[in-house]
């Protein structure tokens, strides 16, 4: 099957990593069209997935932009759609992976008479999108031959916003199990990275590492973990893995100010964007997820489970579907730093129970979130689209 995948992002977030995993099975016959050059197209090239950069500049519309910004972007949209429509003649299906890709994909699908598939990686609600953007997503997605929702939470929000249920299927993200198989749960992996910051490494008195893996953004709630640290023993150290995207620098400044005000400089480390996520997660004593708005899926939760590391997540959106509280991890109320600190202390004080919980989660995650099963489901759904179009 020849698929033209479309994704607006130049950076590899959860939606992009999921797309790369799906596109790889179709790599011989398909193409991923991205709107700008960056780390994501580089990542695709590393995996030998054909990629083409389609636009000369970044789209100015953001998820929360209003009508005016949407109208202003029209002068960028027209040449892009023209280019994609030409390209789409060589493909059977147009597969839009993000919101702006949906706009381009829907117009292209109309012009080139190719079926449109939309992979919904978002919670279409006012927490995440402006009213005009919600309206655009729903209207266009309702024209698609197939919508793949990444969780029940994303599905529910889509329907509540006016989406049609008939052609929506829920497919959870899948993961390459082999990437996690050789991870060792040993904080020594962090030694070389952090030795100069934490001198007690050499004495063998390791700190208790709490990892947070996400781009630095207000709704991802890094501030909640920083606030939680003040209620935890001094040897609890927070590691933030991930970069701030364009426009989020003000939040990074706020985080640094908070760290200073709470006198936590010696207990927080920012590692920036990293590619060795399984190794880092396995080396942490606990992985935290602290989104303050409902998370559409939460790849980091499953990744932590596959690494055999205990995980605590903010109990909203897709996270509630992934963790069975008290059995395979913990859920805390979004934004509640004290409750998060309680879980960190429980995990620190009861390492055997935490380990047992992590092992149970690892077994369950390996069964339910295997990439091979996910890719099979997606291939079947796409076959169905082609048959019925
Ligand atoms: N991630 C990464 N390097 C980093 C930080 C995060 O590769 O430095 C990955 C992380 O392992 C996960 C993805 O980015 O696979 C984030 O996905 P998630 O669903 O948690 O959040 P999203 O980006 O979709 O909001």
């Amino acid at each position: 099957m020849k698929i033209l995948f479309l994704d607006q992002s130049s950076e590899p977030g959860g939606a992009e990593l999921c797309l790369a995993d799906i596109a790889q099975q179709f790599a011989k016959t398909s193409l991923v069209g991205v709107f700008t050059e960056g780390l994501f197209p580089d990542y695709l090239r590393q995996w030998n997935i054909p990629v083409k950069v389609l636009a000369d500049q970044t789209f100015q519309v953001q998820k929360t932009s209003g009508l005016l910004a949407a109208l202003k972007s029209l002068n960028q949209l027209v040449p892009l759609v023209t280019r994609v429509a030409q390209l789409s003649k060589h493909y059977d299906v147009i597969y839009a992976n993000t919101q702006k890709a949906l706009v381009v994909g829907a117009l292209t699908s109309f012009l080139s008479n190719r079926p449109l598939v939309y992979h919904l990686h978002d919670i279409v609600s006012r927490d995440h999108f402006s009213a005009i953007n919600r309206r655009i997503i729903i209207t266009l997605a309702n024209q698609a031959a197939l919508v793949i929702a990444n969780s029940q939470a994303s599905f529910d929000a889509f329907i509540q916003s006016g989406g049609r249920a008939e052609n929506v299927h829920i497919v959870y993200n899948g993961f390459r199990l082999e990437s996690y198989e050789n991870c060792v749960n040993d904080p020594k992996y962090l030694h070389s990275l952090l030795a100069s910051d934490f001198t007690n490494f050499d004495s063998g008195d390791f700190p208790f590492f709490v990892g947070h893996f996400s781009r630095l953004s207000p709704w991802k709630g890094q501030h909640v973990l920083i606030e939680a640290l003040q209620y935890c023993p001094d040897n609890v150290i927070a590691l933030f893995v991930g970069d701030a995207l364009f426009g989020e620098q003000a939040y990074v400044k706020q985080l640094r100010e908070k760290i200073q005000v709470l006198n936590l400089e010696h207990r927080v480390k920012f590692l920036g964007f990293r590619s060795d996520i399984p190794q880092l997660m396995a080396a942490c004593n606990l992985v935290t997820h602290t989104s303050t708005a409902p998370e559409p899926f939460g790849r980091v939760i499953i990744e932590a489970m596959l690494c055999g590391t205990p995980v605590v997540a903010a109990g909203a959106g897709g996270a509630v579907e992934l963790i069975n509280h008290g059995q395979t991890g913990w859920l805390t109320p979004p934004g509640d730093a004290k409750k998060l600190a309680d879980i960190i202390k429980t995990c620190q004080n009861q390492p055997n129970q935490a380990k047992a919980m992590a092992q149970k989660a690892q077994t369950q995650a390996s069964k339910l979130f295997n990439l091979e099963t996910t890719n099979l489901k997606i291939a079947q759904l796409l076959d169905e689209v082609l048959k019925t179009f």
Side-chain angles (χ1 to χ4, degrees):
M1 189 181 311
K2 293 189 259 175
I3 306 171
L4 177 57
F5 294 95
L6 297 174
D7 191 294
Q8 74 211 32
S9 188
S10 58
E11 304 306 311
E16 287 66 39
L17 295 171
C18 173
L19 174 69
D21 284 340
I22 294 166
Q24 219 209 359
Q25 66 171 327
F26 302 105
K28 283 202 178 107
T29 51
S30 301
L31 178 73
V32 181
V34 294
F35 294 4
T36 32
E37 196 48 84
L39 283 179
F40 177 46
D42 281 346
Y43 179 86
L44 292 167
R45 288 177 195 114
Q46 274 167 31
W47 283 96
N48 294 322
I49 299 167
V51 56
K52 192 175 177 76
V53 179
L54 300 168
D56 309 324
Q57 38 177 302
T58 316
F59 256 84
Q60 296 312 320
V61 193
Q62 303 302 321
K63 283 182 175 179
T64 47
S65 297
L67 182 61
L68 197 63
L71 289 174
K72 274 189 188 161
S73 70
L74 280 179
N75 63 338
Q76 292 175 289
L77 188 61
V78 175
L80 182 56
V81 170
T82 313
R83 205 169 301 159
V84 178
Q86 286 292 332
L87 203 56
S88 66
K89 288 180 187 149
H90 307 289
Y91 297 91
D92 305 317
V93 179
I94 299 168
Y95 190 117
N97 198 52
T98 51
Q99 187 214 346
K100 290 173 206 171
L102 172 64
V103 175
V104 174
L107 292 168
T108 308
S109 152
F110 175 73
L111 292 173
S112 61
N113 193 30
R114 295 290 187 277
L116 172 69
V117 173
Y118 176 43
H119 200 144
L120 174 68
H121 296 277
D122 286 302
I123 299 233
V124 187
S125 71
R126 60 179 61 218
D127 282 327
H128 295 278
F129 293 95
S130 65
I132 177 78
N133 276 335
R134 292 202 300 275
R135 177 79 64 85
I136 291 171
I137 294 174
I138 298 300
T139 308
L140 298 179
N142 279 346
Q143 310 303 316
L146 166 69
V147 176
I148 299 168
N150 67 347
S151 66
Q152 182 70 45
S154 296
F155 174 89
D156 291 344
F158 179 74
I159 303 303
Q160 271 161 28
S161 297
R164 284 198 299 123
E166 300 88 85
N167 58 348
V168 189
H169 291 260
I170 298 170
V171 183
Y172 286 133
N173 281 207
F175 296 81
R176 282 172 217 284
L177 301 187
E178 61 275 18
S179 306
Y180 303 88
E181 270 158 11
N182 297 321
C183 289
V184 185
N185 293 115
D186 186 352
K188 280 185 191 140
Y189 184 78
L190 298 167
H191 191 148
S192 56
L193 267 175
L194 303 172
S196 57
D197 297 288
F198 303 105
T199 44
N200 55 355
F201 265 127
D202 290 336
S203 66
D205 177 19
F206 290 113
F208 186 86
F209 287 114
V210 178
H212 191 291
F213 297 77
S214 163
R215 62 181 185 274
L216 306 176
S217 173
W219 80 272
K220 287 291 188 179
Q222 280 84 359
H223 59 278
V224 183
L225 175 54
I226 291 171
E227 282 161 24
L229 278 187
Q230 61 186 318
Y231 309 115
C232 295
D234 262 1
N235 70 339
V236 175
I237 306 293
L239 300 179
F240 289 103
V241 180
D243 253 341
L245 293 185
F246 179 75
E248 307 284 24
Q249 291 307 329
Y251 181 59
V252 178
K253 194 163 165 264
Q254 279 170 25
L255 290 180
R256 293 200 183 276
E257 280 164 6
K258 191 179 276 285
I259 291 165
Q260 209 172 13
V261 169
L262 297 176
N263 200 14
L264 292 169
E265 288 97 331
H266 58 301
R267 294 175 56 195
V268 178
K269 180 83 183 158
F270 291 92
L271 297 181
F273 184 86
R274 304 277 309 191
S275 307
D276 52 348
I277 299 298
Q279 290 76 10
L280 287 171
M281 280 188 173
C284 285
N285 301 93
L286 173 69
V287 168
T288 51
H289 163 277
T290 56
S291 294
T292 55
E295 182 74 55
F297 178 75
R299 286 176 65 88
V300 291
I301 297 168
I302 301 301
E303 289 166 346
M305 289 178 170
L306 291 173
C307 289
T309 302
V311 60
V312 52
V320 178
E321 297 162 53
L322 308 182
I323 292 181
N324 186 354
H325 178 70
Q327 297 292 316
T328 55
W330 295 275
L331 295 167
T332 52
D336 192 331
K338 279 201 170 152
K339 289 267 164 55
L340 176 59
D342 288 345
I343 298 296
I344 295 173
K345 286 183 278 183
T346 301
C347 188
Q348 191 178 21
N349 296 332
Q350 299 174 13
N352 292 338
Q353 283 92 327
K355 194 69 220 161
M357 198 185 262
Q359 277 166 356
K360 191 171 177 184
Q362 191 175 32
T363 308
Q364 193 170 302
S366 315
K367 279 193 199 131
L368 298 179
F369 301 96
N370 184 344
L371 182 61
E372 282 177 26
T373 315
T374 303
N375 276 351
L376 206 64
K377 269 190 209 157
I378 300 237
Q380 281 166 353
L381 288 169
L382 293 176
D383 271 342
E384 205 56 40
V385 165
L386 273 190
K387 270 188 220 147
T388 50
F389 185 69

